[in-house]
Amino acid sequence: MTPGSTALGHVRDRVDRALQAFVGQQRGVLLAAGDDLRPVAESIAGLLAGGKRLRPAFCYWGWRGAGGPDCPEIINAAAALELLHAGALIHDDLMDASDTRRGQPSLHRQFEARHAGRGWHGSAEAFGMGVAILLGDLLICWTDEMFHASGLPGAALRRGRPVLDRMRTEVFAGQYLDLLGQAAGDETVAGALRVVEFKTAKYTIERPLHLGAALAGAGEGPAGPDGGPHARAALAGSGPAGGDGSLPGSGTNGGDSSLAGAYTAYGLPLGIAFQLRDDILGVFGDPAQTGKPAGDDVREGKRTVLLAIARRRATARQAQVIDRYLGDPLLDEAGTAEIREAITGTGAVAECERMISRHVSEAIAALEGAPMTGEAREALAELAVAATARDG
């Protein structure tokens, strides 16, 4: 992620403070049950201390693009998405048997080690898995709590709720398709891209943008600095919502149909580009930047777009190398170097780079003439570059 990204930095610091305040309150609730909950509170705080804050940023700029004013209430609502993401990461690490996350042991490994180090009864692995399930569920529950306590009026929250609900269902679908692809051995590019659409593109970019637009009430075009009539109505507790809280003609997408359509036309290709960059980093990335061991996607047997392209293009020798190491939990440095060489030799990395460039260009082009504020258009163009930067 580009460190100097103004559009991201404008949101990230305030999201960090909002999360710290919320988690600080929840820490008191947990510790009221006893000091045994202290490691739980500390693990949650440690996990939430990291992260790019992309989903809150896209939610915030979705709001601003719809004419919403800069205010603490939208920061609080957007920050709730980081709780959802943290819960999903805990479950994802558990399903993938990942040892690390953000440069530290994954949550299930932390509590597995805690059990083993104290010589407790039963299986340390089962204990770690059980705690991870509980922690992931807790953070997902806290998403609703922080969202509804954001300070936005009830009418705005009712408009946003269907989008948030759909976002959670879609990321479940993506997670399931990911598990299914690994179990069934789906090596097709089409199968990998279907996982990307639901697990990443919709969840990371499209739906957060739609959520921001829905919360703002999405005016009939770009608004001025004061937020425009619909955004002001959103903060005042009224706005053009239907009986289910959605906007007329918007379904669960959020915002008026033209703005929601522009956000989709921008968000889906950018989400694909973002995941393609992550695919490359998952094999070739620097652990100091990614927070994950080198070659972790290979070790976990991930059926990524990168690996699907490599497998499709591979010579017999290259395919042999890929098949030997894909899904090998004991993959070492030498094996990582060998499979990197094989993947690069197929031309898959170069093809993914071309796909990233093409999808980023498509996303930025979708902003031209879209019915959003000029400030948001510039911010989203900047975020498109920042989200797909080579430095991870």
Side-chain angles (χ1 to χ4, degrees), residues 84-107:
L84 170 62
H85 186 51
L89 288 180
I90 292 172
H91 287 164
D92 191 57
D93 286 344
L94 182 59
M95 288 183 281
D96 291 340
S98 296
D99 293 330
T100 60
R101 169 65 63 180
R102 294 175 176 170
Q104 60 184 355
S106 51
L107 267 290

Side-chain angles (χ1 to χ4, degrees), residues 245-315:
S246 62
L247 289 167
S250 69
T252 55
N253 285 342
D256 69 33
S257 58
S258 58
L259 182 58
Y263 282 163
T264 294
Y266 165 86
L268 291 183
L270 181 57
I272 292 171
F274 171 76
Q275 185 58 53
L276 289 172
R277 174 63 62 210
D278 196 63
D279 289 354
I280 294 173
L281 292 171
V283 178
F284 297 90
D286 180 354
Q289 291 182 329
T290 64
K292 304 273 284 184
D296 214 37
D297 279 1
V298 177
R299 193 174 290 106
E300 294 172 4
K302 289 285 189 183
R303 261 58 181 183
T304 64
V305 174
L306 173 67
L307 285 166
I309 293 173
R311 191 67 182 81
R312 185 181 64 188
R313 293 181 167 205
T315 64

Side-chain angles (χ1 to χ4, degrees), residues 22 32 44 72 108 111 130 168 170-171 189 235 238 254 265 283 291 293 300 334 346 382:
F22 179 84
I44 291 172
H108 63 281
F111 284 91
R168 287 183 287 204
E170 286 172 342
V171 76
V189 175
L235 287 174
S238 61
V283 178
E300 294 172 4
T346 68
E382 181 185 322

Side-chain angles (χ1 to χ4, degrees), residues 16-329:
D16 286 347
R17 290 194 293 271
L19 286 170
Q20 288 166 8
F22 179 84
V23 173
Q25 293 173 349
Q26 297 297 343
R27 179 185 178 89
V29 176
L30 289 172
L31 293 183
D35 204 56
D36 287 338
L37 274 294
R38 190 173 300 277
V40 171
E42 291 173 351
S43 293
I44 291 172
L47 179 62
L48 288 170
K52 304 178 185 74
R53 313 306 192 211
L54 279 176
R55 290 155 197 84
F58 283 115
C59 180
Y60 172 84
W61 287 111
W63 159 278
R64 295 300 303 278
D70 185 17
C71 61
E73 292 85 359
I74 186 57
I75 293 294
N76 293 335
L81 298 184
E82 203 65 19
L83 298 173
L84 170 62
H85 186 51
L89 288 180
I90 292 172
H91 287 164
D92 191 57
D93 286 344
L94 182 59
M95 288 183 281
D96 291 340
S98 296
D99 293 330
T100 60
R101 169 65 63 180
R102 294 175 176 170
Q104 60 184 355
S106 51
L107 267 290
H108 63 281
R109 296 299 187 213
Q110 289 181 33
F111 284 91
E112 178 181 336
R114 187 175 184 82
H115 182 289
R118 286 159 176 75
W120 290 342
H121 300 294
S123 165
E125 182 180 16
F127 179 77
M129 292 172 60
V131 174
I133 292 169
L134 289 171
L135 282 174
D137 288 350
L138 177 63
L139 285 164
I140 292 169
C141 290
W142 281 359
T143 303
D144 278 337
E145 189 171 342
M146 188 171 190
F147 180 74
H148 287 289
S150 64
L152 288 171
L157 296 174
R158 285 193 295 274
R159 283 192 299 273
R161 182 57 187 261
V163 187
L164 180 58
D165 288 345
R166 185 162 181 170
M167 179 179 172
R168 287 183 287 204
T169 300
E170 286 172 342
V171 76
F172 157 80
Q175 286 279 26
Y176 176 76
L177 290 171
D178 192 14
L179 282 175
L180 180 64
Q182 292 182 64
D186 185 354
E187 296 180 342
T188 65
V189 175
L193 283 171
R194 186 163 68 129
V195 173
V196 169
E197 178 182 354
F198 286 93
K199 188 176 177 181
T200 303
K202 288 181 174 294
Y203 166 68
T204 302
I205 302 174
E206 184 196 28
R207 294 307 180 197
L209 286 167
H210 286 168
L211 177 59
L215 291 170
E220 298 172 353
D226 65 349
H230 289 316
R232 289 195 301 272
L235 287 174
S238 61
D244 62 352
S246 62
L247 289 167
S250 69
T252 55
N253 285 342
D256 69 33
S257 58
S258 58
L259 182 58
Y263 282 163
T264 294
Y266 165 86
L268 291 183
L270 181 57
I272 292 171
F274 171 76
Q275 185 58 53
L276 289 172
R277 174 63 62 210
D278 196 63
D279 289 354
I280 294 173
L281 292 171
V283 178
F284 297 90
D286 180 354
Q289 291 182 329
T290 64
K292 304 273 284 184
D296 214 37
D297 279 1
V298 177
R299 193 174 290 106
E300 294 172 4
K302 289 285 189 183
R303 261 58 181 183
T304 64
V305 174
L306 173 67
L307 285 166
I309 293 173
R311 191 67 182 81
R312 185 181 64 188
R313 293 181 167 205
T315 64
R317 166 64 181 152
Q318 290 166 338
Q320 184 181 38
V321 172
I322 293 170
D323 290 344
R324 182 190 312 152
Y325 292 116
L326 186 61
D328 179 4

